[in-house]
Amino acid sequence: MPSYSPYDWNESIQQRNEFIEDRLKDGSPVVALTYDAGVLLVSVRQTQRKVYEIYDRLMFSAIGNHSDIEQIRSAAIDVAHSEGFSRSPDDVSIQRMVSFRISPAIKKVYSDPFAQPIVFRGIFVELGKKAERDQIVTLSYDGEFSSSLGHAVVAGSAYAEDRMREHLTTETSGGVPTLAQALTAGVYAWGVGAKHLDAEDRADADYSTEGEGKSDVSAFIKEKLAKGWVLEAGVLERNTTRESKFRLLTESELSETLTAYRTE
C-alpha cells in the first residue's frame, strides 16, 4: 500500500481549495441585512431557489453545488428539529447548530483527501428580539465560520465579498435601515459582488472599484434582470402575528426596488 505523507495531504488540500473556489465563482452572491423590523436575505438568481426557512426564527441561503446546498439545508433542518424536540424551540440557535453539528461534519469531509469535496459557502440567520440581537453566521466549505452583526455576505471570491461589505457598511452607517432601504442596499451590494465576479471570470486585470459609479453597477443589475434573472428576498419578521416569522417577499413588495432597474 503506497504511503501518504503530510506533504501529499497538504498538496491535496490545496488542490481541493482551488477546485472549490473556482466552482464557487459561478454562484450568485447573497446578502444578509438586519432592518428595523427583522432580518433580510436577498439575492438575484437564475433558476434554483436561493432563500429558505430552516426553523422558527432561522433562515438560510448559500452558493455552490445545488446538491451540496440541499444536503446542508436538510441537515440544518434535522438538527434544528432535533434540538427543538429534545430541548425547546427557544434553545434552537444558529451558533449551536453551526458550531456543534454542521461545521464539524463539513470539516471532516474537507480534511479527507479521498472524500468528494463540498462546494459551498452559506449564510445562516437567526432573528433576535431586538435588531442588536440578530445573529448572522457565514459558513465555508472547510468548516470555518464567523459571526456578524448588522450584515454579512457570501460570494465567489474574497475580493468580491470585501467590496460588498464596504458598500453595506457605508449604507448602514446612519443606523438600522427600514426594509425598503435594506432591499435597496442589498440589491446594489449584490450587483457590486456579481460585477466583480464577472470581471474576474473574464480575467479583467484592469477592473477596479476606483472611479466606478453607481450607473455601472446599476446597468449590470439591469442587464441581468432583462435576461430573466429573478430578485428573491426572504425575511424573518420580528413583530408579525403570523405563526411563522419567515416569508418570501411578494412581487408587489419588490416592485419599488426593481423600478430602478427596469429596462425603459
Side-chain angles (χ1 to χ4, degrees):
M1 181 176 179
S3 61
Y4 198 71
S5 70
Y7 173 81
D8 295 326
W9 185 86
N10 288 331
E11 185 176 32
S12 172
I13 291 298
Q14 182 178 350
Q15 291 173 348
R16 288 163 74 84
N17 288 350
E18 291 172 355
F19 170 80
I20 295 169
E21 289 168 6
D22 184 62
R23 296 291 299 272
L24 286 175
K25 288 180 181 179
D26 294 333
S28 178
V30 182
V31 180
L33 270 169
T34 285
Y35 67 97
D36 56 2
V39 196
L40 168 74
L41 268 178
V42 61
S43 184
V44 181
R45 61 177 173 80
Q46 288 183 283
T47 54
Q48 300 290 348
R49 183 177 164 185
K50 296 278 287 185
V51 181
Y52 300 94
E53 180 182 24
I54 294 297
Y55 196 69
D56 186 39
R57 302 181 299 109
L58 310 181
M59 64 179 172
F60 161 81
S61 187
I63 61 173
N65 284 349
H66 183 67
S67 58
D68 293 331
I69 294 171
E70 184 60 25
Q71 185 176 8
I72 292 170
R73 183 182 76 88
S74 297
I77 291 172
D78 290 344
V79 170
H81 281 82
S82 175
E83 287 273 304
F85 179 78
S86 61
R87 297 172 180 270
S88 77
D90 291 338
D91 290 327
V92 179
S93 72
I94 288 297
Q95 285 290 346
R96 282 185 57 83
M97 178 190 299
V98 172
S99 61
F100 294 144
R101 301 289 291 275
I102 301 177
S103 171
I106 291 177
K107 281 184 177 180
K108 184 177 181 180
V109 175
Y110 174 75
S111 60
D112 183 353
F114 300 105
Q116 180 74 21
I118 295 175
V119 180
F120 169 88
R121 268 183 63 74
I123 294 185
F124 294 85
V125 177
E126 179 181 340
L127 180 71
K129 292 183 178 179
K130 297 180 179 180
E132 59 268 24
R133 300 295 297 275
D134 294 337
Q135 294 291 320
I136 306 173
V137 175
T138 56
L139 176 65
S140 196
Y141 59 84
D142 57 0
E144 293 299 313
F145 62 91
S146 61
S147 300
S148 303
L149 293 176
H151 61 260
V153 302
V154 291
S157 77
Y159 187 71
E161 290 185 347
D162 287 343
R163 303 291 78 76
M164 293 169 72
R165 281 191 289 264
E166 284 177 6
H167 171 72
L168 293 173
T169 298
T170 301
E171 290 298 304
T172 58
S173 60
V176 181
T178 64
L179 177 57
Q181 291 169 336
L183 268 172
T184 299
V187 172
Y188 186 84
W190 176 88
V192 170
K195 192 170 190 292
H196 274 288
L197 290 167
D198 183 65
E200 290 176 27
D201 186 54
R202 290 183 285 105
D204 188 349
D206 296 327
Y207 181 72
S208 169
T209 51
E210 295 182 8
E212 178 185 64
K214 282 197 171 184
S215 59
D216 299 312
V217 174
S218 295
F220 178 86
I221 297 171
K222 183 182 291 188
E223 176 188 347
K224 293 299 182 184
L225 293 173
K227 289 181 177 179
W229 288 50
V230 177
L231 173 61
E232 182 176 334
V235 294
L236 291 170
E237 297 178 304
R238 227 179 302 280
N239 304 314
T240 182
T241 57
R242 293 180 298 106
E243 183 177 350
S244 174
K245 297 183 183 299
F246 172 84
R247 68 184 182 89
L248 292 174
L249 297 185
T250 63
E251 268 190 49
S252 61
E253 290 174 301
L254 297 173
S255 62
E256 184 176 346
T257 302
L258 288 169
T259 298
Y261 304 112
R262 289 200 176 105
T263 303
E264 297 177 0

